[in-house]
Amino acid sequence: MIIEQPAIYLRWIYPKALWRMNHDERAVYLTFDDGPIPESTPFILQTLREFGIKATFFMVGDNVRKYPDLYNQIIDEGHLVGNHTHNHISGFRHSLHNYCYNVEKANAYIHSHLFRPPHGWIRHDQYVALAQKGFQMVMWDLVTRDYSKWLTAEDVIDNVKRYARNGSIITFHDSLKAIDKLRTALPACIKWLKEQGYEFRVFNSGK
């Protein structure tokens, strides 16, 4: 559970980050990390389109550089985008200057105030510096673990059924590691969430 649904003490580390939205509203926020890439993004977009819902894509800047048409398609279809660094780098392995530079480099392609750190961790000085630059850090209330080679598509579906709740920020991955499972799990999860009465929302883009 500490992985799928982060414990409360982990949320205290970054107190101004978004972990979960309004607890009183029957709504969830779908997010996709690590894209865009041609092997997975088109399927995700097609699925979202078929269900008539919007999501937020936390993108790697270098992927946007390589696949600008996919970035434009995401924007054109009304989805929100966020920054996931330019090279999917770890905050603990880079200096404050290099990490912030990598985020700014990505934002030259992504153009978003929303930021999610790869692996869900950055150092406190990096967190503070990015906040001062106007970035809103978005974490998650439920990570599906669709990237794990140890989990099946059914396991991913079960994680969503077990941990989704009012205001959940749900993290999937727009990646090679996840796409084989998502072909089954993503439509099944969306269908189940709809059956439970959840609305699908995105974050405030004007913040």
Side-chain angles (χ1 to χ4, degrees):
M1 180 174 175
I2 199 170
I3 298 176
E4 289 88 356
Q5 197 164 67
I8 188 65
Y9 72 84
L10 292 177
R11 303 172 191 235
W12 293 337
I13 297 173
Y14 312 111
K16 293 185 179 180
L18 300 179
W19 290 89
R20 182 183 176 191
M21 305 303 282
N22 194 324
H23 299 194
D24 297 323
E25 294 182 348
R26 195 71 170 168
V28 294
Y29 295 70
L30 298 190
T31 67
F32 296 87
D33 288 3
D34 301 348
I37 58 172
E39 294 85 354
S40 63
T41 307
F43 170 78
I44 293 170
L45 288 175
Q46 176 187 341
T47 303
L48 296 174
R49 192 183 314 119
E50 289 173 353
F51 283 96
I53 62 179
K54 305 302 180 188
T56 304
F57 289 76
F58 286 91
M59 301 180 176
V60 173
D62 197 45
N63 285 343
V64 176
R65 179 190 64 81
K66 290 186 288 188
Y67 308 113
D69 289 346
L70 287 176
Y71 169 86
N72 290 331
Q73 184 179 354
I74 290 167
I75 296 293
D76 289 345
E77 295 194 14
H79 302 289
L80 208 60
V81 298
N83 189 319
H84 203 45
T85 75
H86 193 70
N87 301 105
H88 202 266
I89 63 173
S90 168
F92 289 116
R93 296 182 181 179
H94 292 81
S95 68
L96 172 62
H97 172 78
N98 288 343
Y99 193 83
C100 290
Y101 172 78
N102 200 266
V103 173
E104 295 281 10
K105 184 177 181 180
N107 225 37
Y109 296 95
I110 299 168
H111 312 294
S112 175
H113 71 290
L114 301 176
F115 174 73
R116 175 176 284 166
H119 317 297
W121 291 96
I122 55 174
R123 296 199 315 268
H124 190 261
D125 60 342
Q126 296 162 342
Y127 167 66
V128 170
L130 291 175
Q132 291 174 343
K133 291 176 179 292
F135 287 99
Q136 169 64 63
M137 195 157 97
V138 181
M139 300 298 271
W140 56 79
D141 184 57
L142 193 174
V143 60
T144 63
R145 297 185 66 207
D146 52 356
Y147 56 82
S148 174
K149 66 180 179 180
W150 306 111
L151 299 189
T152 65
E154 287 301 320
D155 292 327
V156 173
I157 296 167
D158 287 344
N159 281 338
V160 171
K161 289 182 176 181
R162 182 175 182 182
Y163 295 112
R165 55 186 178 175
N166 287 1
S168 282
I169 299 171
I170 303 175
T171 297
F172 294 94
H173 288 79
D174 184 1
S175 69
L176 293 174
K177 290 181 180 179
I179 186 56
D180 287 344
K181 290 184 278 290
L182 285 188
R183 292 188 189 282
T184 298
L186 183 58
C189 288
I190 293 174
K191 182 179 179 181
W192 181 84
L193 288 164
K194 280 182 169 284
E195 290 171 349
Q196 304 308 304
Y198 287 103
E199 295 181 22
F200 295 84
R201 298 183 183 173
V202 295
F203 308 101
N204 183 357
S205 61
K207 203 170 181 182

PDB file of all heavy atoms in Angstrom, residues 5-28:
ATOM      1  N   GLN A   5      -0.657   3.483  -2.773  1.00  0.00           N
ATOM      2  CA  GLN A   5      -1.283   4.660  -2.180  1.00  0.00           C
ATOM      3  C   GLN A   5      -0.350   5.200  -1.099  1.00  0.00           C
ATOM      4  O   GLN A   5      -0.301   4.672   0.009  1.00  0.00           O
ATOM      5  CB  GLN A   5      -2.648   4.299  -1.591  1.00  0.00           C
ATOM      6  CG  GLN A   5      -3.526   5.507  -1.326  1.00  0.00           C
ATOM      7  CD  GLN A   5      -4.965   5.091  -1.117  1.00  0.00           C
ATOM      8  OE1 GLN A   5      -5.291   4.441  -0.135  1.00  0.00           O
ATOM      9  NE2 GLN A   5      -5.835   5.458  -2.059  1.00  0.00           N
ATOM     10  N   PRO A   6       0.431   6.223  -1.411  1.00  0.00           N
ATOM     11  CA  PRO A   6       1.480   6.697  -0.500  1.00  0.00           C
ATOM     12  C   PRO A   6       0.951   7.017   0.896  1.00  0.00           C
ATOM     13  O   PRO A   6      -0.122   7.610   1.051  1.00  0.00           O
ATOM     14  CB  PRO A   6       2.006   7.959  -1.192  1.00  0.00           C
ATOM     15  CG  PRO A   6       1.680   7.747  -2.634  1.00  0.00           C
ATOM     16  CD  PRO A   6       0.392   6.995  -2.659  1.00  0.00           C
ATOM     17  N   ALA A   7       1.723   6.618   1.895  1.00  0.00           N
ATOM     18  CA  ALA A   7       1.350   6.866   3.282  1.00  0.00           C
ATOM     19  C   ALA A   7       1.340   8.366   3.568  1.00  0.00           C
ATOM     20  O   ALA A   7       2.005   9.156   2.893  1.00  0.00           O
ATOM     21  CB  ALA A   7       2.325   6.155   4.217  1.00  0.00           C
ATOM     22  N   ILE A   8       0.618   8.741   4.605  1.00  0.00           N
ATOM     23  CA  ILE A   8       0.444  10.152   4.920  1.00  0.00           C
ATOM     24  C   ILE A   8       1.771  10.844   5.205  1.00  0.00           C
ATOM     25  O   ILE A   8       1.978  11.999   4.825  1.00  0.00           O
ATOM     26  CB  ILE A   8      -0.543  10.331   6.101  1.00  0.00           C
ATOM     27  CG1 ILE A   8      -0.875  11.802   6.319  1.00  0.00           C
ATOM     28  CG2 ILE A   8       0.010   9.687   7.369  1.00  0.00           C
ATOM     29  CD1 ILE A   8      -1.630  12.445   5.192  1.00  0.00           C
ATOM     30  N   TYR A   9       2.711  10.136   5.831  1.00  0.00           N
ATOM     31  CA  TYR A   9       3.978  10.796   6.154  1.00  0.00           C
ATOM     32  C   TYR A   9       4.773  11.139   4.902  1.00  0.00           C
ATOM     33  O   TYR A   9       5.542  12.103   4.899  1.00  0.00           O
ATOM     34  CB  TYR A   9       4.806   9.951   7.123  1.00  0.00           C
ATOM     35  CG  TYR A   9       5.417   8.702   6.541  1.00  0.00           C
ATOM     36  CD1 TYR A   9       6.634   8.738   5.859  1.00  0.00           C
ATOM     37  CD2 TYR A   9       4.791   7.474   6.691  1.00  0.00           C
ATOM     38  CE1 TYR A   9       7.198   7.596   5.329  1.00  0.00           C
ATOM     39  CE2 TYR A   9       5.355   6.322   6.167  1.00  0.00           C
ATOM     40  CZ  TYR A   9       6.558   6.384   5.486  1.00  0.00           C
ATOM     41  OH  TYR A   9       7.110   5.244   4.970  1.00  0.00           O
ATOM     42  N   LEU A  10       4.596  10.391   3.820  1.00  0.00           N
ATOM     43  CA  LEU A  10       5.272  10.732   2.571  1.00  0.00           C
ATOM     44  C   LEU A  10       4.705  12.033   1.998  1.00  0.00           C
ATOM     45  O   LEU A  10       5.423  12.825   1.395  1.00  0.00           O
ATOM     46  CB  LEU A  10       5.117   9.605   1.554  1.00  0.00           C
ATOM     47  CG  LEU A  10       5.854   8.304   1.884  1.00  0.00           C
ATOM     48  CD1 LEU A  10       5.549   7.245   0.830  1.00  0.00           C
ATOM     49  CD2 LEU A  10       7.358   8.540   1.974  1.00  0.00           C
ATOM     50  N   ARG A  11       3.437  12.267   2.226  1.00  0.00           N
ATOM     51  CA  ARG A  11       2.797  13.472   1.714  1.00  0.00           C
ATOM     52  C   ARG A  11       3.255  14.720   2.466  1.00  0.00           C
ATOM     53  O   ARG A  11       3.162  15.828   1.954  1.00  0.00           O
ATOM     54  CB  ARG A  11       1.267  13.323   1.781  1.00  0.00           C
ATOM     55  CG  ARG A  11       0.796  12.084   1.015  1.00  0.00           C
ATOM     56  CD  ARG A  11      -0.693  11.810   1.222  1.00  0.00           C
ATOM     57  NE  ARG A  11      -1.028  10.493   0.698  1.00  0.00           N
ATOM     58  CZ  ARG A  11      -1.983  10.242  -0.203  1.00  0.00           C
ATOM     59  NH1 ARG A  11      -2.697  11.228  -0.686  1.00  0.00           N
ATOM     60  NH2 ARG A  11      -2.223   9.026  -0.616  1.00  0.00           N
ATOM     61  N   TRP A  12       3.732  14.533   3.688  1.00  0.00           N
ATOM     62  CA  TRP A  12       4.227  15.669   4.466  1.00  0.00           C
ATOM     63  C   TRP A  12       5.550  16.211   3.928  1.00  0.00           C
ATOM     64  O   TRP A  12       5.916  17.349   4.192  1.00  0.00           O
ATOM     65  CB  TRP A  12       4.420  15.260   5.930  1.00  0.00           C
ATOM     66  CG  TRP A  12       3.139  14.947   6.644  1.00  0.00           C
ATOM     67  CD1 TRP A  12       1.885  15.385   6.317  1.00  0.00           C
ATOM     68  CD2 TRP A  12       2.992  14.119   7.808  1.00  0.00           C
ATOM     69  NE1 TRP A  12       0.961  14.880   7.193  1.00  0.00           N
ATOM     70  CE2 TRP A  12       1.596  14.107   8.127  1.00  0.00           C
ATOM     71  CE3 TRP A  12       3.872  13.397   8.607  1.00  0.00           C
ATOM     72  CZ2 TRP A  12       1.095  13.390   9.209  1.00  0.00           C
ATOM     73  CZ3 TRP A  12       3.369  12.696   9.694  1.00  0.00           C
ATOM     74  CH2 TRP A  12       1.998  12.694   9.990  1.00  0.00           C
ATOM     75  N   ILE A  13       6.282  15.388   3.163  1.00  0.00           N
ATOM     76  CA  ILE A  13       7.597  15.814   2.671  1.00  0.00           C
ATOM     77  C   ILE A  13       7.463  17.003   1.719  1.00  0.00           C
ATOM     78  O   ILE A  13       8.288  17.915   1.722  1.00  0.00           O
ATOM     79  CB  ILE A  13       8.310  14.634   1.976  1.00  0.00           C
ATOM     80  CG1 ILE A  13       8.571  13.511   2.992  1.00  0.00           C
ATOM     81  CG2 ILE A  13       9.621  15.085   1.335  1.00  0.00           C
ATOM     82  CD1 ILE A  13       9.128  12.243   2.375  1.00  0.00           C
ATOM     83  N   TYR A  14       6.417  16.966   0.894  1.00  0.00           N
ATOM     84  CA  TYR A  14       6.158  18.050  -0.063  1.00  0.00           C
ATOM     85  C   TYR A  14       4.762  18.601   0.230  1.00  0.00           C
ATOM     86  O   TYR A  14       3.789  18.285  -0.465  1.00  0.00           O
ATOM     87  CB  TYR A  14       6.244  17.538  -1.496  1.00  0.00           C
ATOM     88  CG  TYR A  14       7.464  16.702  -1.797  1.00  0.00           C
ATOM     89  CD1 TYR A  14       7.349  15.338  -2.055  1.00  0.00           C
ATOM     90  CD2 TYR A  14       8.734  17.271  -1.818  1.00  0.00           C
ATOM     91  CE1 TYR A  14       8.466  14.567  -2.341  1.00  0.00           C
ATOM     92  CE2 TYR A  14       9.860  16.504  -2.092  1.00  0.00           C
ATOM     93  CZ  TYR A  14       9.719  15.152  -2.350  1.00  0.00           C
ATOM     94  OH  TYR A  14      10.816  14.388  -2.616  1.00  0.00           O
ATOM     95  N   PRO A  15       4.623  19.438   1.245  1.00  0.00           N
ATOM     96  CA  PRO A  15       3.297  19.820   1.744  1.00  0.00           C
ATOM     97  C   PRO A  15       2.433  20.601   0.764  1.00  0.00           C
ATOM     98  O   PRO A  15       1.203  20.585   0.875  1.00  0.00           O
ATOM     99  CB  PRO A  15       3.611  20.651   2.986  1.00  0.00           C
ATOM    100  CG  PRO A  15       5.012  21.151   2.770  1.00  0.00           C
ATOM    101  CD  PRO A  15       5.712  20.066   2.026  1.00  0.00           C
ATOM    102  N   LYS A  16       3.037  21.305  -0.191  1.00  0.00           N
ATOM    103  CA  LYS A  16       2.245  22.092  -1.134  1.00  0.00           C
ATOM    104  C   LYS A  16       2.026  21.366  -2.467  1.00  0.00           C
ATOM    105  O   LYS A  16       1.415  21.916  -3.386  1.00  0.00           O
ATOM    106  CB  LYS A  16       2.898  23.449  -1.368  1.00  0.00           C
ATOM    107  CG  LYS A  16       2.871  24.335  -0.117  1.00  0.00           C
ATOM    108  CD  LYS A  16       3.412  25.728  -0.407  1.00  0.00           C
ATOM    109  CE  LYS A  16       3.349  26.598   0.842  1.00  0.00           C
ATOM    110  NZ  LYS A  16       3.878  27.962   0.594  1.00  0.00           N
ATOM    111  N   ALA A  17       2.525  20.143  -2.554  1.00  0.00           N
ATOM    112  CA  ALA A  17       2.262  19.344  -3.750  1.00  0.00           C
ATOM    113  C   ALA A  17       0.813  18.863  -3.730  1.00  0.00           C
ATOM    114  O   ALA A  17       0.187  18.752  -2.666  1.00  0.00           O
ATOM    115  CB  ALA A  17       3.207  18.151  -3.803  1.00  0.00           C
ATOM    116  N   LEU A  18       0.278  18.588  -4.905  1.00  0.00           N
ATOM    117  CA  LEU A  18      -1.049  17.996  -5.013  1.00  0.00           C
ATOM    118  C   LEU A  18      -0.912  16.479  -4.947  1.00  0.00           C
ATOM    119  O   LEU A  18      -0.261  15.875  -5.792  1.00  0.00           O
ATOM    120  CB  LEU A  18      -1.716  18.402  -6.327  1.00  0.00           C
ATOM    121  CG  LEU A  18      -1.939  19.896  -6.561  1.00  0.00           C
ATOM    122  CD1 LEU A  18      -2.600  20.122  -7.921  1.00  0.00           C
ATOM    123  CD2 LEU A  18      -2.771  20.510  -5.446  1.00  0.00           C
ATOM    124  N   TRP A  19      -1.503  15.883  -3.939  1.00  0.00           N
ATOM    125  CA  TRP A  19      -1.508  14.420  -3.784  1.00  0.00           C
ATOM    126  C   TRP A  19      -2.895  13.855  -4.063  1.00  0.00           C
ATOM    127  O   TRP A  19      -3.043  12.783  -4.623  1.00  0.00           O
ATOM    128  CB  TRP A  19      -1.082  14.032  -2.382  1.00  0.00           C
ATOM    129  CG  TRP A  19       0.364  14.263  -2.070  1.00  0.00           C
ATOM    130  CD1 TRP A  19       0.924  15.412  -1.572  1.00  0.00           C
ATOM    131  CD2 TRP A  19       1.442  13.345  -2.236  1.00  0.00           C
ATOM    132  NE1 TRP A  19       2.276  15.246  -1.406  1.00  0.00           N
ATOM    133  CE2 TRP A  19       2.626  13.991  -1.802  1.00  0.00           C
ATOM    134  CE3 TRP A  19       1.527  12.034  -2.693  1.00  0.00           C
ATOM    135  CZ2 TRP A  19       3.869  13.375  -1.820  1.00  0.00           C
ATOM    136  CZ3 TRP A  19       2.766  11.399  -2.712  1.00  0.00           C
ATOM    137  CH2 TRP A  19       3.922  12.071  -2.286  1.00  0.00           C
ATOM    138  N   ARG A  20      -3.893  14.580  -3.585  1.00  0.00           N
ATOM    139  CA  ARG A  20      -5.284  14.157  -3.747  1.00  0.00           C
ATOM    140  C   ARG A  20      -6.139  15.419  -3.820  1.00  0.00           C
ATOM    141  O   ARG A  20      -5.877  16.386  -3.111  1.00  0.00           O
ATOM    142  CB  ARG A  20      -5.701  13.285  -2.562  1.00  0.00           C
ATOM    143  CG  ARG A  20      -7.115  12.730  -2.631  1.00  0.00           C
ATOM    144  CD  ARG A  20      -7.439  11.941  -1.372  1.00  0.00           C
ATOM    145  NE  ARG A  20      -8.816  11.470  -1.362  1.00  0.00           N
ATOM    146  CZ  ARG A  20      -9.430  10.948  -0.306  1.00  0.00           C
ATOM    147  NH1 ARG A  20      -8.770  10.832   0.843  1.00  0.00           N
ATOM    148  NH2 ARG A  20     -10.682  10.548  -0.383  1.00  0.00           N
ATOM    149  N   MET A  21      -7.142  15.399  -4.663  1.00  0.00           N
ATOM    150  CA  MET A  21      -8.002  16.556  -4.813  1.00  0.00           C
ATOM    151  C   MET A  21      -9.170  16.467  -3.828  1.00  0.00           C
ATOM    152  O   MET A  21      -9.075  15.753  -2.830  1.00  0.00           O
ATOM    153  CB  MET A  21      -8.447  16.678  -6.269  1.00  0.00           C
ATOM    154  CG  MET A  21      -7.287  16.729  -7.271  1.00  0.00           C
ATOM    155  SD  MET A  21      -6.107  18.072  -6.974  1.00  0.00           S
ATOM    156  CE  MET A  21      -7.024  19.449  -7.667  1.00  0.00           C
ATOM    157  N   ASN A  22     -10.262  17.158  -4.102  1.00  0.00           N
ATOM    158  CA  ASN A  22     -11.363  17.280  -3.149  1.00  0.00           C
ATOM    159  C   ASN A  22     -11.902  15.920  -2.700  1.00  0.00           C
ATOM    160  O   ASN A  22     -12.373  15.120  -3.509  1.00  0.00           O
ATOM    161  CB  ASN A  22     -12.491  18.098  -3.781  1.00  0.00           C
ATOM    162  CG  ASN A  22     -13.514  18.563  -2.770  1.00  0.00           C
ATOM    163  OD1 ASN A  22     -13.836  17.859  -1.812  1.00  0.00           O
ATOM    164  ND2 ASN A  22     -14.044  19.756  -2.983  1.00  0.00           N
ATOM    165  N   HIS A  23     -11.824  15.669  -1.391  1.00  0.00           N
ATOM    166  CA  HIS A  23     -12.255  14.387  -0.839  1.00  0.00           C
ATOM    167  C   HIS A  23     -13.766  14.205  -0.904  1.00  0.00           C
ATOM    168  O   HIS A  23     -14.253  13.071  -0.772  1.00  0.00           O
ATOM    169  CB  HIS A  23     -11.818  14.269   0.625  1.00  0.00           C
ATOM    170  CG  HIS A  23     -10.342  14.320   0.819  1.00  0.00           C
ATOM    171  ND1 HIS A  23      -9.746  13.949   2.007  1.00  0.00           N
ATOM    172  CD2 HIS A  23      -9.326  14.677   0.001  1.00  0.00           C
ATOM    173  CE1 HIS A  23      -8.438  14.097   1.920  1.00  0.00           C
ATOM    174  NE2 HIS A  23      -8.163  14.550   0.702  1.00  0.00           N
ATOM    175  N   ASP A  24     -14.495  15.299  -1.082  1.00  0.00           N
ATOM    176  CA  ASP A  24     -15.952  15.244  -1.033  1.00  0.00           C
ATOM    177  C   ASP A  24     -16.594  15.123  -2.408  1.00  0.00           C
ATOM    178  O   ASP A  24     -17.819  15.011  -2.507  1.00  0.00           O
ATOM    179  CB  ASP A  24     -16.503  16.503  -0.341  1.00  0.00           C
ATOM    180  CG  ASP A  24     -16.048  16.608   1.105  1.00  0.00           C
ATOM    181  OD1 ASP A  24     -15.965  15.555   1.777  1.00  0.00           O
ATOM    182  OD2 ASP A  24     -15.748  17.736   1.555  1.00  0.00           O
ATOM    183  N   GLU A  25     -15.786  15.151  -3.457  1.00  0.00           N
ATOM    184  CA  GLU A  25     -16.336  15.090  -4.810  1.00  0.00           C
ATOM    185  C   GLU A  25     -16.032  13.737  -5.449  1.00  0.00           C
ATOM    186  O   GLU A  25     -14.905  13.252  -5.382  1.00  0.00           O
ATOM    187  CB  GLU A  25     -15.766  16.220  -5.667  1.00  0.00           C
ATOM    188  CG  GLU A  25     -16.207  17.599  -5.196  1.00  0.00           C
ATOM    189  CD  GLU A  25     -15.688  18.721  -6.058  1.00  0.00           C
ATOM    190  OE1 GLU A  25     -14.805  18.480  -6.902  1.00  0.00           O
ATOM    191  OE2 GLU A  25     -16.176  19.858  -5.885  1.00  0.00           O
ATOM    192  N   ARG A  26     -17.027  13.162  -6.067  1.00  0.00           N
ATOM    193  CA  ARG A  26     -16.891  11.849  -6.711  1.00  0.00           C
ATOM    194  C   ARG A  26     -16.194  12.042  -8.062  1.00  0.00           C
ATOM    195  O   ARG A  26     -16.800  11.974  -9.134  1.00  0.00           O
ATOM    196  CB  ARG A  26     -18.272  11.229  -6.897  1.00  0.00           C
ATOM    197  CG  ARG A  26     -18.264   9.733  -7.214  1.00  0.00           C
ATOM    198  CD  ARG A  26     -17.856   8.915  -6.027  1.00  0.00           C
ATOM    199  NE  ARG A  26     -18.069   7.481  -6.242  1.00  0.00           N
ATOM    200  CZ  ARG A  26     -17.579   6.543  -5.459  1.00  0.00           C
ATOM    201  NH1 ARG A  26     -16.841   6.877  -4.394  1.00  0.00           N
ATOM    202  NH2 ARG A  26     -17.810   5.269  -5.695  1.00  0.00           N
ATOM    203  N   ALA A  27     -14.899  12.306  -7.979  1.00  0.00           N
ATOM    204  CA  ALA A  27     -14.120  12.592  -9.192  1.00  0.00           C
ATOM    205  C   ALA A  27     -12.718  12.041  -9.039  1.00  0.00           C
ATOM    206  O   ALA A  27     -12.194  11.937  -7.921  1.00  0.00           O
ATOM    207  CB  ALA A  27     -14.063  14.100  -9.443  1.00  0.00           C
ATOM    208  N   VAL A  28     -12.130  11.665 -10.166  1.00  0.00           N
ATOM    209  CA  VAL A  28     -10.734  11.221 -10.202  1.00  0.00           C
ATOM    210  C   VAL A  28     -10.010  11.975 -11.312  1.00  0.00           C
ATOM    211  O   VAL A  28     -10.640  12.528 -12.216  1.00  0.00           O
ATOM    212  CB  VAL A  28     -10.607   9.692 -10.429  1.00  0.00           C
ATOM    213  CG1 VAL A  28     -11.160   8.928  -9.240  1.00  0.00           C
ATOM    214  CG2 VAL A  28     -11.298   9.275 -11.728  1.00  0.00           C
TER     215      VAL A  28
END
